Amino acid sequence: KLDLIEALAKGNSKGAKENPKVMEELINGDVIHAFSLVIPSDKVIEIEGAQVAPMNVANQNSIDERGEIIEKDRLTHNQSWKGSASGLSINSRVIESELQDCMFGHCFLRLCHQIVDIRRRHPHTCIFIQKIDWKSAYCCAHYNWRTAIKSITTAVTSAIAYIALRLTFGGKACPNEWSVISETTTDLANDLLRCDEWDPEEIQAPIQKHIPEISRLSDTIPFAPGLPLVVQLPNDDQGKADCYLDDIISIIPEIGDNIKRGAAAVPLAIHLIGRPIAESEPILRDELISMKKLIAEGGLEEIQTVLGWVLNTRELMVLLPVDKFLAYSKQRNEYLKAVTYTY
């Protein structure tokens, strides 16, 4: 209770206090979608077991439907904040041994292995990448009430408090909990890719019509040879999906009817995991797949930005995206001009 009283008095982090309008807009979106429950902050103390964490506004990059980089703000919950009375945080109380292991950490390496292995066995076959993003992924997973009351934040005015009803950005258990959903969905997509009875033209997700056409490189660009790997992969010529939290990335070789199946498997798997959106939803609901990103990068392409890197499956190259190249070059030049700088 002393930790709770201290947290209520402390309020939010610097980023939230300096951007009250942005924070209000973001939290209002959570409330409208029923991802947060509003209560008077003076009632929080009456909730047995309640805990409050400072809220912050983090700035990050995203893309629009044209694939152009845009800035995006996101609410974060500092659940690693420690109360002076106990010296403990919400995250320090997480029982890690009861969490399912996350498998996304080596996703990028697995994708590279998959691409090189296919190229090694099929030297002159096009290999395509599809990337599908969940829409507001953590918001799709709702907390048990016992966890929700450990995930309370306050408004800038501190007169209002919000109980997070969905996974928070900052909760230690959240990547593990979300991975249970995303990895299961990825497994389902891989089962579809190997299901001979599935006809992707007959059974597909409603949003399939929004997926862009296939994008090929010029025939004048040669195929780079795939060198032997130090790991042994099963011969997988039907394509395979892998996931990194809210991104599901498929590697699809142009063999047989793989292209049609590869373009439809992940969207259908995500559609099956969720439920159709009714014409008159009582609470505002979005598609489970991010439509902006689907239109921008949901098509099968030989060059695709994946987890912050550009993958070129034709020439077997990993490249820095232009925006990162410019940012890193600028930073490097600033360091070279400086007299001193910190470690």
Side-chain angles (χ1 to χ4, degrees):
K1 281 200 170 182
L2 290 174
D3 285 349
L4 178 59
I5 293 168
E6 181 185 359
L8 287 168
K10 172 182 170 58
N12 291 304
S13 299
K14 184 179 178 181
K17 291 177 180 178
E18 292 180 349
N19 299 279
K21 290 185 179 179
V22 173
M23 178 182 154
E24 184 178 0
E25 182 180 337
L26 292 172
I27 196 67
N28 283 347
D30 265 15
V31 173
I32 291 169
H33 287 82
F35 299 146
S36 284
L37 180 65
V38 182
I39 62 170
S41 56
D42 59 1
K43 298 296 182 183
V44 173
I45 198 72
E46 299 178 20
I47 302 174
E48 186 176 352
Q51 290 291 303
V52 168
M55 193 185 299
N56 203 1
V57 175
N59 184 267
Q60 60 181 177
N61 288 336
S62 184
I63 63 168
D64 60 18
E65 59 272 18
R66 296 186 299 276
E68 296 177 358
I69 294 173
I70 57 174
E71 289 191 348
K72 176 183 177 182
D73 295 308
R74 170 172 282 172
L75 286 177
T76 62
H77 298 67
N78 183 10
Q79 292 179 289
S80 292
W81 175 82
K82 296 179 180 180
S84 347
S86 70
L88 298 172
S89 67
I90 300 300
N91 284 341
S92 68
R93 295 183 172 100
V94 172
I95 305 172
E96 294 184 62
S97 61
E98 294 188 9
L99 297 174
Q100 180 166 303
D101 290 340
C102 290
M103 303 301 293
F104 64 82
H106 296 286
C107 175
F108 192 78
L109 190 59
R110 290 195 298 265
L111 294 173
C112 291
H113 283 157
Q114 186 76 8
I115 292 167
V116 174
D117 188 59
I118 293 172
R119 169 69 68 245
R120 183 180 59 81
R121 291 182 290 103
H122 302 281
H124 305 292
T125 296
C126 290
I127 303 171
F128 295 96
I129 302 175
Q130 183 196 52
K131 192 170 76 171
I132 301 293
D133 281 51
W134 293 80
K135 169 71 174 177
S136 304
Y138 276 22
C139 296
C140 300
H142 287 190
Y143 272 145
N144 176 285
W145 71 268
R146 291 180 177 84
T147 308
I149 62 172
K150 303 289 186 187
S151 305
I152 302 176
T153 54
T154 59
V156 175
T157 61
S158 74
I160 299 173
Y162 303 94
I163 301 177
L165 304 180
R166 48 83 170 179
L167 299 184
T168 55
F169 291 100
K172 188 172 187 177
C174 297
N176 305 71
E177 296 291 355
W178 171 252
S179 290
V180 173
I181 297 173
S182 62
E183 289 172 14
T184 300
T185 307
T186 305
D187 289 344
L188 176 56
N190 283 322
D191 286 343
L192 284 169
L193 287 171
R194 287 154 185 73
C195 179
D196 295 332
E197 298 176 11
W198 173 51
D199 183 350
E201 293 188 344
E202 181 181 345
I203 302 175
Q204 58 182 230
I207 65 168
Q208 188 68 34
K209 58 182 179 289
H210 297 293
I211 293 179
E213 293 293 325
I214 190 171
S215 177
R216 300 175 182 275
L217 294 176
S218 169
D219 291 337
T220 60
I221 300 175
F223 293 97
L227 301 179
L229 297 169
V230 296
V231 292
Q232 183 68 37
L233 270 67
N235 292 344
D236 199 336
D237 293 335
Q238 294 170 295
K240 190 171 185 178
D242 206 328
C243 72
Y244 189 100
L245 286 178
D246 59 348
D247 289 352
I248 301 184
I249 306 108
S250 301
I251 307 298
I252 309 294
E254 191 173 21
I255 299 172
D257 63 349
N258 281 356
I259 298 303
K260 291 181 180 179
R261 300 168 71 83
V266 173
L268 179 58
I270 292 178
H271 177 69
L272 293 172
I273 285 287
R275 64 166 176 80
I277 298 175
E279 292 183 2
S280 56
E281 289 280 350
I283 298 172
L284 186 61
R285 283 288 175 266
D286 298 317
E287 290 283 353
L288 289 178
I289 292 176
S290 170
M291 294 303 296
K292 287 183 179 180
K293 292 186 177 180
L294 181 78
I295 294 170
E297 55 188 14
L300 296 176
E301 301 185 27
E302 289 184 87
I303 297 180
Q304 184 73 271
T305 301
V306 177
L307 305 179
W309 295 92
V310 176
L311 283 179
N312 181 329
T313 64
R314 176 75 67 102
E315 299 174 276
L316 297 184
M317 292 194 297
V318 179
L319 309 167
L320 267 178
V322 174
D323 64 306
K324 287 190 176 181
F325 167 76
L326 294 174
Y328 291 168
S329 298
K330 180 175 180 290
Q331 190 178 56
R332 180 202 60 190
N333 291 335
E334 288 173 353
Y335 284 162
L336 291 174
K337 291 176 185 177
V339 178
T340 61
Y341 45 83
T342 64
Y343 175 78

